[in-house]
Coordinates of all heavy atoms in Angstrom, one line a residue:
S187 N 22.1 44.1 -45.2 CA 22.7 42.8 -45.0 C 22.4 41.9 -46.1 O 21.2 41.9 -46.7 CB 22.2 42.2 -43.7 OG 22.6 40.9 -43.5
D188 N 23.3 41.0 -46.5 CA 23.0 40.0 -47.5 C 22.5 38.7 -46.7 O 22.4 38.7 -45.5 CB 24.2 39.7 -48.4 CG 25.4 39.1 -47.6 OD1 25.3 38.8 -46.4 OD2 26.5 39.1 -48.2
S189 N 22.4 37.6 -47.5 CA 21.8 36.4 -46.9 C 22.8 35.7 -45.9 O 22.4 34.8 -45.2 CB 21.4 35.4 -48.0 OG 22.5 35.1 -48.8
L190 N 24.0 36.1 -45.9 CA 25.0 35.5 -45.0 C 25.3 36.4 -43.8 O 26.2 36.1 -43.0 CB 26.3 35.2 -45.7 CG 26.2 34.0 -46.8 CD1 27.6 33.9 -47.5 CD2 25.8 32.7 -46.1
G191 N 24.6 37.6 -43.8 CA 24.9 38.5 -42.6 C 26.0 39.4 -42.8 O 26.4 40.1 -41.9
N192 N 26.5 39.6 -44.1 CA 27.5 40.6 -44.4 C 26.9 41.9 -44.4 O 26.0 42.2 -45.2 CB 28.2 40.2 -45.7 CG 28.9 38.9 -45.7 OD1 29.7 38.6 -44.8 ND2 28.7 38.1 -46.7
L193 N 27.4 42.8 -43.5 CA 26.8 44.2 -43.4 C 27.6 45.2 -44.2 O 28.9 45.1 -44.2 CB 26.8 44.6 -42.0 CG 26.0 43.7 -41.0 CD1 26.1 44.2 -39.6 CD2 24.5 43.5 -41.4
S194 N 26.9 46.1 -44.8 CA 27.6 47.2 -45.5 C 26.7 48.5 -45.4 O 25.5 48.3 -45.1 CB 27.8 46.9 -47.0 OG 26.6 46.6 -47.6
Y195 N 27.2 49.6 -45.6 CA 26.5 50.8 -45.5 C 26.8 51.7 -46.7 O 27.8 51.7 -47.3 CB 26.7 51.6 -44.2 CG 28.2 52.0 -43.9 CD1 28.6 53.2 -44.3 CD2 29.1 51.1 -43.3 CE1 29.9 53.6 -44.1 CE2 30.4 51.5 -43.1 CZ 30.8 52.8 -43.5 OH 32.1 53.1 -43.3
D196 N 25.8 52.6 -47.0 CA 25.9 53.5 -48.1 C 26.0 54.9 -47.7 O 25.2 55.4 -46.9 CB 24.6 53.3 -49.0 CG 24.7 54.1 -50.3 OD1 24.3 55.3 -50.2 OD2 25.1 53.5 -51.3
V197 N 27.0 55.6 -48.2 CA 27.2 57.0 -48.0 C 27.4 57.7 -49.4 O 28.4 57.4 -50.0 CB 28.3 57.3 -47.1 CG1 28.5 58.8 -46.9 CG2 28.1 56.7 -45.7
D198 N 26.4 58.5 -49.8 CA 26.5 59.2 -51.1 C 26.7 58.3 -52.2 O 27.5 58.6 -53.1 CB 27.6 60.3 -51.0 CG 27.3 61.3 -49.9 OD1 26.1 61.6 -49.7 OD2 28.3 61.9 -49.4
G199 N 26.0 57.2 -52.2 CA 26.2 56.2 -53.3 C 27.4 55.3 -53.2 O 27.6 54.5 -54.1
V200 N 28.2 55.5 -52.2 CA 29.4 54.6 -52.1 C 29.1 53.5 -51.0 O 28.8 53.8 -49.9 CB 30.6 55.5 -51.6 CG1 31.8 54.6 -51.5 CG2 30.9 56.6 -52.6
Q201 N 29.2 52.3 -51.5 CA 29.0 51.2 -50.6 C 30.3 50.7 -49.9 O 31.3 50.5 -50.5 CB 28.4 50.0 -51.4 CG 27.6 49.0 -50.6 CD 26.3 49.5 -50.2 OE1 25.8 50.5 -50.8 NE2 25.6 48.8 -49.3
T202 N 30.2 50.7 -48.6 CA 31.4 50.3 -47.7 C 31.0 49.1 -46.9 O 30.0 49.1 -46.2 CB 31.8 51.5 -46.8 OG1 32.0 52.6 -47.7 CG2 33.1 51.1 -46.1
D203 N 31.9 48.1 -46.9 CA 31.7 47.0 -46.0 C 31.9 47.3 -44.5 O 32.8 48.1 -44.2 CB 32.7 45.9 -46.4 CG 32.5 45.3 -47.8 OD1 31.3 45.4 -48.2 OD2 33.4 44.7 -48.4
L204 N 31.0 46.8 -43.7 CA 31.1 47.1 -42.3 C 31.6 45.9 -41.5 O 32.7 46.0 -40.9 CB 29.7 47.5 -41.8 CG 29.6 47.7 -40.3 CD1 30.5 48.8 -39.8 CD2 28.1 48.0 -39.9
A205 N 30.9 44.8 -41.5 CA 31.3 43.6 -40.8 C 30.4 42.5 -41.2 O 29.4 42.7 -41.9 CB 31.2 43.8 -39.3
A206 N 30.6 41.3 -40.8 CA 29.8 40.1 -41.0 C 29.3 39.6 -39.7 O 30.0 39.3 -38.8 CB 30.5 39.0 -41.8
I207 N 27.9 39.6 -39.5 CA 27.4 39.1 -38.3 C 27.8 37.7 -38.0 O 27.8 36.9 -38.9 CB 25.8 39.2 -38.3 CG1 25.3 40.6 -38.5 CG2 25.2 38.6 -37.1 CD1 23.8 40.8 -38.6
G208 N 28.2 37.4 -36.8 CA 28.7 36.1 -36.5 C 27.6 35.1 -36.4 O 26.9 35.1 -35.4
V209 N 27.4 34.3 -37.4 CA 26.4 33.3 -37.5 C 27.1 32.0 -37.5 O 27.9 31.7 -38.4 CB 25.4 33.4 -38.7 CG1 24.4 32.4 -38.7 CG2 24.8 34.8 -38.7
V210 N 26.8 31.1 -36.6 CA 27.5 29.8 -36.5 C 26.5 28.7 -36.6 O 25.3 28.8 -36.4 CB 28.3 29.6 -35.2 CG1 29.3 30.7 -35.1 CG2 27.3 29.7 -34.0
V211 N 27.0 27.5 -37.0 CA 26.2 26.3 -37.1 C 26.6 25.4 -36.0 O 27.8 25.1 -35.8 CB 26.5 25.6 -38.5 CG1 25.7 24.2 -38.5 CG2 26.1 26.4 -39.6
V212 N 25.6 25.0 -35.2 CA 25.9 24.1 -34.0 C 25.3 22.7 -34.5 O 24.1 22.5 -34.6 CB 25.1 24.6 -32.8 CG1 25.4 23.6 -31.6 CG2 25.6 26.0 -32.4
N213 N 26.3 21.8 -34.7 CA 25.9 20.5 -35.2 C 25.1 19.7 -34.2 O 24.4 18.8 -34.6 CB 27.1 19.8 -35.7 CG 27.7 20.4 -37.0 OD1 26.9 20.7 -37.9 ND2 29.0 20.5 -37.1
N214 N 25.3 19.9 -32.9 CA 24.5 19.2 -31.9 C 23.9 20.3 -31.0 O 24.5 20.5 -29.9 CB 25.4 18.2 -31.1 CG 24.6 17.4 -30.2 OD1 23.4 17.6 -30.0 ND2 25.2 16.4 -29.6
P215 N 22.8 20.9 -31.4 CA 22.2 21.9 -30.6 C 21.8 21.5 -29.2 O 21.6 22.4 -28.3 CB 21.0 22.4 -31.4 CG 20.7 21.2 -32.3 CD 22.0 20.6 -32.6
H216 N 21.6 20.2 -28.9 CA 21.2 19.8 -27.6 C 22.3 19.8 -26.6 O 22.1 19.5 -25.4 CB 20.6 18.4 -27.7 CG 19.2 18.4 -28.4 ND1 18.1 18.8 -27.7 CD2 18.9 18.1 -29.6 CE1 17.0 18.7 -28.6 NE2 17.5 18.3 -29.7
Q217 N 23.5 20.2 -27.1 CA 24.6 20.4 -26.1 C 24.6 21.8 -25.6 O 25.4 22.2 -24.7 CB 26.0 20.2 -26.8 CG 26.3 18.7 -27.1 CD 26.5 17.9 -25.9 OE1 27.0 18.4 -24.9 NE2 26.2 16.6 -25.9
L218 N 23.7 22.7 -26.1 CA 23.6 24.0 -25.6 C 22.9 24.0 -24.3 O 21.9 23.2 -24.0 CB 22.8 24.9 -26.6 CG 23.4 25.1 -28.0 CD1 22.5 25.8 -28.9 CD2 24.8 25.8 -27.9
V219 N 23.3 24.9 -23.4 CA 22.7 25.1 -22.1 C 21.9 26.4 -22.1 O 22.4 27.5 -22.3 CB 23.7 25.1 -21.0 CG1 23.1 25.2 -19.6 CG2 24.6 23.8 -21.0
R220 N 20.6 26.3 -21.7 CA 19.7 27.5 -21.7 C 20.1 28.4 -20.5 O 20.1 27.9 -19.4 CB 18.3 27.0 -21.7 CG 17.3 28.2 -21.8 CD 15.9 27.6 -21.7 NE 15.5 26.7 -22.7 CZ 14.9 27.0 -23.8 NH1 14.5 28.2 -24.0 NH2 14.6 26.0 -24.7
E221 N 20.3 29.7 -20.8 CA 20.5 30.6 -19.7 C 19.4 31.5 -19.4 O 19.4 32.2 -18.4 CB 21.8 31.4 -20.0 CG 23.1 30.6 -19.9 CD 24.3 31.5 -19.9 OE1 24.2 32.7 -20.3 OE2 25.4 31.1 -19.4
G222 N 18.4 31.6 -20.3 CA 17.3 32.5 -20.1 C 17.3 33.6 -21.1 O 18.4 33.9 -21.7
H223 N 16.2 34.2 -21.4 CA 16.1 35.3 -22.3 C 16.5 34.9 -23.7 O 17.1 35.7 -24.5 CB 16.8 36.5 -21.9 CG 16.4 37.0 -20.5 ND1 15.2 37.7 -20.3 CD2 17.1 37.0 -19.3 CE1 15.2 38.0 -19.0 NE2 16.2 37.6 -18.4
G224 N 16.3 33.6 -24.1 CA 16.7 33.1 -25.4 C 18.1 33.0 -25.7 O 18.6 32.9 -26.8
V225 N 18.9 33.0 -24.6 CA 20.4 32.9 -24.7 C 20.9 31.5 -24.3 O 20.4 31.0 -23.3 CB 21.1 34.0 -23.9 CG1 22.6 33.9 -24.0 CG2 20.6 35.4 -24.4
F226 N 21.8 31.0 -25.0 CA 22.4 29.7 -24.7 C 23.9 29.8 -24.6 O 24.6 30.7 -25.2 CB 22.1 28.6 -25.8 CG 20.7 28.4 -26.1 CD1 19.9 29.2 -26.9 CD2 20.0 27.3 -25.5 CE1 18.6 29.0 -27.1 CE2 18.7 27.1 -25.7 CZ 17.9 27.9 -26.5
R227 N 24.5 28.9 -23.8 CA 25.9 28.8 -23.7 C 26.3 27.3 -24.0 O 25.5 26.4 -24.1 CB 26.4 29.1 -22.3 CG 26.2 28.1 -21.2 CD 26.9 28.4 -19.9 NE 26.8 27.3 -19.0 CZ 25.8 27.1 -18.1 NH1 24.8 28.0 -18.0 NH2 25.8 26.1 -17.3
V228 N 27.7 27.1 -24.2 CA 28.2 25.8 -24.5 C 29.2 25.5 -23.5 O 30.2 26.2 -23.3 CB 28.8 25.8 -25.9 CG1 29.5 24.5 -26.2 CG2 27.8 26.0 -27.0
D229 N 29.0 24.4 -22.8 CA 30.0 23.9 -21.8 C 31.0 23.0 -22.4 O 32.1 22.8 -21.9 CB 29.3 23.2 -20.6 CG 28.5 24.2 -19.8 OD1 28.8 25.4 -19.8 OD2 27.5 23.8 -19.1
N230 N 30.6 22.3 -23.5 CA 31.5 21.4 -24.2 C 31.5 21.7 -25.7 O 30.7 21.2 -26.4 CB 31.1 19.9 -23.9 CG 32.1 18.9 -24.4 OD1 32.9 19.2 -25.3 ND2 32.0 17.7 -23.9
V231 N 32.4 22.6 -26.1 CA 32.5 23.0 -27.5 C 32.7 21.9 -28.4 O 32.1 21.8 -29.5 CB 33.6 24.1 -27.6 CG1 33.6 24.6 -29.1 CG2 33.3 25.3 -26.7
Q232 N 33.6 20.9 -28.0 CA 33.9 19.8 -28.9 C 32.6 18.9 -29.2 O 32.4 18.5 -30.3 CB 35.0 18.9 -28.3 CG 35.4 17.8 -29.2 CD 36.6 17.0 -28.6 OE1 37.1 17.3 -27.5 NE2 37.1 16.0 -29.3
A233 N 31.8 18.7 -28.1 CA 30.6 17.9 -28.3 C 29.6 18.7 -29.1 O 28.8 18.1 -29.9 CB 30.0 17.5 -26.9
A234 N 29.5 20.0 -28.9 CA 28.5 20.8 -29.7 C 28.9 20.9 -31.2 O 28.1 21.0 -32.0 CB 28.4 22.1 -29.1
D235 N 30.2 20.8 -31.4 CA 30.7 20.9 -32.8 C 30.2 22.1 -33.5 O 29.3 22.1 -34.4 CB 30.3 19.6 -33.6 CG 31.1 19.5 -34.9 OD1 32.0 20.3 -35.1 OD2 30.7 18.6 -35.7
I236 N 30.9 23.3 -33.2 CA 30.4 24.6 -33.7 C 31.3 25.0 -34.9 O 32.6 24.9 -34.8 CB 30.4 25.6 -32.6 CG1 29.5 25.2 -31.5 CG2 30.0 27.0 -33.2 CD1 29.5 26.1 -30.3
R237 N 30.7 25.5 -36.0 CA 31.5 26.0 -37.1 C 30.8 27.2 -37.7 O 29.7 27.5 -37.3 CB 31.6 24.9 -38.2 CG 30.3 24.5 -38.8 CD 30.5 23.5 -39.9 NE 29.2 23.0 -40.5 CZ 28.5 23.7 -41.4 NH1 28.9 24.9 -41.8 NH2 27.4 23.2 -41.8
A238 N 31.5 27.9 -38.5 CA 31.0 29.1 -39.1 C 30.0 28.8 -40.2 O 30.1 27.7 -40.9 CB 32.1 30.0 -39.7
L239 N 29.0 29.7 -40.5 CA 28.0 29.4 -41.5 C 28.7 29.6 -42.9 O 29.5 30.5 -43.1 CB 26.9 30.5 -41.4 CG 25.8 30.4 -42.4 CD1 25.0 29.1 -42.3 CD2 24.9 31.6 -42.3
E240 N 28.4 28.7 -43.8 CA 29.0 28.7 -45.1 C 27.9 28.9 -46.2 O 26.8 28.7 -45.9 CB 29.7 27.4 -45.4 CG 30.9 27.1 -44.4 CD 31.5 25.7 -44.6 OE1 31.0 25.0 -45.5 OE2 32.5 25.4 -43.9
A241 N 28.4 29.4 -47.3 CA 27.5 29.8 -48.4 C 26.6 28.6 -48.9 O 25.5 28.8 -49.3 CB 28.2 30.4 -49.6
E242 N 27.2 27.4 -48.8 CA 26.4 26.2 -49.3 C 25.4 25.7 -48.3 O 24.6 24.8 -48.6 CB 27.4 25.1 -49.7 CG 28.3 24.6 -48.6 CD 29.6 25.4 -48.6 OE1 29.7 26.5 -49.2 OE2 30.6 24.8 -48.1
D243 N 25.4 26.2 -47.1 CA 24.5 25.8 -46.1 C 23.1 26.3 -46.4 O 22.9 27.4 -46.9 CB 24.9 26.3 -44.7 CG 26.1 25.6 -44.1 OD1 26.2 24.4 -44.3 OD2 26.9 26.3 -43.5
N244 N 22.1 25.5 -46.2 CA 20.7 25.9 -46.4 C 20.2 26.7 -45.3 O 19.3 26.3 -44.5 CB 19.8 24.6 -46.6 CG 18.5 25.0 -47.2 OD1 18.2 26.1 -47.7 ND2 17.5 24.1 -47.0
A245 N 20.8 27.9 -45.1 CA 20.4 28.8 -44.1 C 20.7 30.3 -44.6 O 21.6 30.5 -45.4 CB 21.2 28.6 -42.8
S246 N 20.0 31.2 -44.0 CA 20.1 32.6 -44.5 C 19.7 33.6 -43.4 O 19.0 33.2 -42.4 CB 19.3 32.9 -45.7 OG 17.9 32.7 -45.5
V247 N 20.2 34.8 -43.5 CA 19.9 35.9 -42.6 C 18.9 36.8 -43.3 O 19.2 37.2 -44.5 CB 21.1 36.6 -42.2 CG1 20.8 37.8 -41.2 CG2 22.1 35.7 -41.5
R248 N 17.8 37.2 -42.7 CA 16.8 38.1 -43.3 C 16.7 39.4 -42.4 O 16.3 39.4 -41.3 CB 15.4 37.4 -43.3 CG 15.4 36.1 -44.0 CD 15.3 36.3 -45.5 NE 15.2 35.0 -46.2 CZ 14.0 34.4 -46.4 NH1 12.9 34.9 -46.0 NH2 14.0 33.2 -47.1
Q249 N 17.1 40.5 -43.1 CA 17.1 41.8 -42.4 C 15.6 42.3 -42.5 O 14.9 42.1 -43.5 CB 18.0 42.8 -43.0 CG 18.1 44.1 -42.3 CD 19.1 45.0 -42.9 OE1 19.5 44.9 -44.1 NE2 19.5 46.0 -42.2
G250 N 15.2 42.9 -41.4 CA 13.8 43.4 -41.3 C 12.8 42.4 -40.9 O 11.6 42.6 -41.0
Y251 N 13.3 41.2 -40.4 CA 12.4 40.2 -39.9 C 12.8 39.7 -38.6 O 14.0 39.9 -38.2 CB 12.4 39.0 -40.9 CG 11.8 39.2 -42.2 CD1 12.5 39.8 -43.3 CD2 10.5 38.8 -42.5 CE1 11.9 40.0 -44.5 CE2 9.9 39.0 -43.7 CZ 10.6 39.6 -44.7 OH 10.0 39.8 -46.0
L252 N 11.9 39.1 -37.8 CA 12.2 38.4 -36.6 C 11.6 37.1 -36.6 O 10.5 36.9 -37.1 CB 11.6 39.2 -35.4 CG 12.4 40.4 -34.9 CD1 11.7 41.1 -33.7 CD2 13.8 40.1 -34.4
E253 N 12.3 36.1 -36.0 CA 11.8 34.7 -35.9 C 10.9 34.7 -34.7 O 11.2 35.0 -33.6 CB 12.9 33.7 -35.8 CG 12.4 32.3 -35.7 CD 13.5 31.3 -35.4 OE1 14.7 31.7 -35.1 OE2 13.3 30.1 -35.4
S254 N 9.7 34.2 -35.0 CA 8.7 34.1 -33.9 C 9.0 32.8 -33.0 O 9.8 32.0 -33.4 CB 7.3 34.0 -34.4 OG 7.0 35.1 -35.2
S255 N 8.4 32.8 -31.9 CA 8.5 31.6 -31.0 C 7.9 30.4 -31.8 O 7.0 30.5 -32.5 CB 7.7 31.8 -29.7 OG 7.5 30.6 -29.0
N256 N 8.6 29.2 -31.5 CA 8.1 28.0 -32.2 C 7.1 27.2 -31.3 O 6.9 26.0 -31.6 CB 9.3 27.1 -32.6 CG 10.0 26.5 -31.4 OD1 9.8 26.9 -30.3 ND2 10.9 25.5 -31.7
V257 N 6.6 27.8 -30.3 CA 5.6 27.1 -29.4 C 4.3 26.9 -30.2 O 3.7 27.8 -30.8 CB 5.3 28.0 -28.2 CG1 4.3 27.3 -27.3 CG2 6.6 28.1 -27.4
D258 N 3.8 25.6 -30.2 CA 2.5 25.3 -30.7 C 1.5 25.6 -29.7 O 1.3 24.8 -28.7 CB 2.5 23.8 -31.1 CG 1.3 23.4 -31.9 OD1 0.2 24.1 -31.7 OD2 1.3 22.4 -32.6
T259 N 0.7 26.6 -29.9 CA -0.2 27.1 -28.9 C -1.3 26.0 -28.6 O -1.6 25.8 -27.4 CB -0.9 28.4 -29.3 OG1 0.1 29.4 -29.7 CG2 -1.8 29.0 -28.2
A260 N -1.9 25.5 -29.6 CA -2.9 24.5 -29.4 C -2.4 23.3 -28.6 O -3.0 22.8 -27.7 CB -3.5 24.0 -30.7
Q261 N -1.2 22.8 -29.0 CA -0.7 21.6 -28.4 C -0.3 21.9 -26.9 O -0.4 21.1 -26.0 CB 0.6 21.1 -29.1 CG 1.2 19.8 -28.6 CD 0.2 18.6 -28.6 OE1 -0.4 18.4 -29.7 NE2 0.1 17.9 -27.5
A262 N 0.2 23.2 -26.7 CA 0.6 23.6 -25.3 C -0.7 23.5 -24.4 O -0.6 23.1 -23.3 CB 1.2 24.9 -25.4
M263 N -1.8 24.0 -24.9 CA -3.0 24.0 -24.1 C -3.5 22.5 -23.8 O -3.9 22.2 -22.7 CB -4.1 24.7 -24.8 CG -3.9 26.2 -24.9 SD -3.5 27.0 -23.3 CE -5.1 26.7 -22.5
V264 N -3.3 21.7 -24.8 CA -3.7 20.2 -24.6 C -2.8 19.6 -23.5 O -3.2 18.9 -22.6 CB -3.6 19.5 -25.9 CG1 -3.7 18.0 -25.7 CG2 -4.6 19.9 -26.9
D265 N -1.5 19.9 -23.6 CA -0.5 19.4 -22.7 C -0.8 19.9 -21.3 O -0.6 19.2 -20.3 CB 0.9 19.7 -23.1 CG 1.3 19.0 -24.4 OD1 0.7 18.0 -24.7 OD2 2.3 19.4 -25.0

Side-chain angles (χ1 to χ4, degrees):
S187 170
D188 64 11
S189 60
L190 292 178
N192 296 312
L193 303 179
S194 60
Y195 59 92
D196 183 275
V197 177
D198 298 329
V200 179
Q201 202 75 15
T202 304
D203 292 336
L204 175 60
I207 299 178
V209 181
V210 296
V211 176
V212 181
N213 288 315
N214 188 354
H216 288 281
Q217 288 292 328
L218 297 175
V219 180
R220 187 185 297 266
E221 287 194 339
H223 302 290
V225 177
F226 299 85
R227 74 171 189 271
V228 175
D229 292 335
N230 189 337
V231 178
Q232 184 176 1
D235 190 10
I236 300 173
R237 62 176 177 82
L239 179 67
E240 299 176 355
E242 58 269 19
D243 290 322
N244 190 17
S246 61
V247 179
R248 303 280 184 88
Q249 188 177 17
Y251 290 83
L252 279 179
E253 182 185 5
S254 301
S255 167
N256 68 349
V257 176
D258 186 336
T259 307
Q261 185 61 49
M263 293 304 299
V264 171
D265 293 341

